[in-house]
Amino acid sequence: KLKAGSGTGIAPNVSFRNGERITMGHDCHVGERCYLWAGDSTGRIIIGNYVSLAPEVFITASDYKFEAGKPFRQQPKNERDIRIGNDVWLGARVVVTAGVSIGDGCIVGAGAVVTKDLPAGSIAAGVPARVIGKREPEPVPALS
């Protein structure tokens, strides 16, 4: 049920949950042992074109709310869409949390935890991820 554009390559050991709510553009790469978990009812993962996910990237469009007096597994879920723009590279073991948008041209360093939106063209790293630089402007072929 996952929708992926032409030229997109997916390693054989990637884990998808609720694939009907996951969309990937064309010419993407999803590395070994990545996890793309859309929400059970509404949270979508929308990935643009020319996106590369290094090994063990974890993207989840759902997390738990915490209400007093309820065991963890009985907590209601909080589902929010994740949007990843065109020409984005997520390094090994990056975690992207529910509700985040990552702008076109971003690079996220290995091991970063993205909890807030990243502006287009930024380079981010750390836990939580923060912008540490900007990609130099270069002529890029039109992304369609």
Side-chain angles (χ1 to χ4, degrees):
K1 296 179 184 180
L2 167 82
K3 295 178 188 127
S6 65
T8 290
I10 298 171
N13 54 359
V14 171
S15 174
F16 294 105
R17 288 230 175 119
N18 304 310
E20 65 275 12
R21 279 182 285 291
I22 300 172
T23 304
M24 300 177 67
H26 62 80
D27 295 305
C28 294
H29 169 77
V30 181
E32 293 77 10
R33 296 174 308 281
C34 285
Y35 299 86
L36 283 78
W37 292 358
D40 291 334
S41 58
T42 60
R44 299 174 300 158
I45 298 171
I46 301 150
I47 298 174
N49 303 313
Y50 308 107
V51 172
S52 290
L53 307 180
E56 299 182 4
V57 166
F58 187 90
I59 301 171
T60 180
S62 178
D63 55 26
Y64 288 96
K65 297 178 183 179
F66 292 101
E67 296 178 2
K70 283 189 178 182
F72 166 74
R73 300 243 340 149
Q74 293 178 0
Q75 296 290 330
K77 290 189 177 177
N78 188 17
E79 298 184 19
R80 297 174 314 260
D81 292 350
I82 292 173
R83 296 182 187 277
I84 298 174
N86 297 315
D87 189 29
V88 170
W89 176 20
L90 302 183
R93 296 187 174 166
V94 165
V95 174
V96 180
T97 61
V100 167
S101 290
I102 299 175
D104 291 344
C106 284
I107 298 172
V108 182
V113 178
V114 184
T115 60
K116 295 182 180 174
D117 294 353
L118 295 175
S122 60
I123 300 170
V127 179
R130 64 181 178 81
V131 175
I132 60 169
K134 184 116 174 112
R135 283 180 73 178
E136 294 295 321
E138 294 181 14
V140 176
L143 301 175
S144 56

